[in-house]
Amino acid sequence: QVQLVESGGGLVQAAGSLRLSCAASGRSGSIGAMAWFRQATGKDREFVASISMEISSTRYADSVKGRFTISRDNAKNTVYLQMSSLKPEDTAVYSCAARQGPGVTSVSSLYNYWGQGTQVTVSS
């Protein structure tokens, strides 16, 4: 089993920045890729970004390209999401996910493990 714990959410003004962290524990050595998803109130969950834990590969949703950066620290079993130029429409619960496969897929059903989520609120 793998446990994921997110941190770093909060309230920020539009155009501001925030960094989310996701720490993996348990059988973290089995993780091939990790990702961030988000879900705004009343909306479906959507893919934000993903990263391979083995090779240099990332994927981003079009809505966050150029504003968000996903990175990892394998020694700490931690993935980060640096969010800049935040907009009110970025407001959502952000959840970290991990999968045993290596691909940086955006398909949520292919992720085996999920964190509890952290709230990000962007005020206008």
Side-chain angles (χ1 to χ4, degrees):
Q1 284 286 6
V2 173
Q3 294 78 43
L4 303 175
V5 178
E6 303 98 334
S7 61
L11 174 64
V12 63
Q13 289 187 331
S17 299
L18 208 57
R19 189 178 82 156
L20 305 182
S21 299
C22 175
S25 61
R27 297 185 61 185
S28 56
S30 66
I31 297 174
M34 295 181 70
W36 289 95
F37 289 80
R38 68 185 182 185
Q39 186 168 20
T41 302
K43 295 189 176 181
D44 293 332
R45 180 165 57 194
E46 66 171 349
F47 169 77
V48 177
S50 56
I51 186 167
S52 170
M53 302 303 284
E54 300 169 350
I55 62 174
S56 180
S57 180
T58 58
R59 180 190 294 265
Y60 293 92
D62 288 343
S63 59
V64 306
K65 278 181 183 176
R67 300 189 299 120
F68 291 10
T69 301
I70 190 169
S71 62
R72 57 179 164 86
D73 184 335
N74 287 52
K76 295 182 179 179
N77 294 321
T78 299
V79 168
Y80 305 96
L81 185 68
Q82 178 67 48
M83 305 184 292
S84 303
S85 301
L86 283 161
K87 306 174 182 179
E89 50 263 44
D90 293 318
T91 295
V93 174
Y94 284 71
S95 296
C96 176
R99 65 188 300 261
Q100 294 172 318
V104 290
T105 179
S106 61
V107 179
S108 61
S109 61
L110 296 180
Y111 286 85
N112 310 99
Y113 307 102
W114 291 83
Q116 293 293 322
T118 185
Q119 176 70 46
V120 171
T121 303
V122 184
S123 63
S124 57

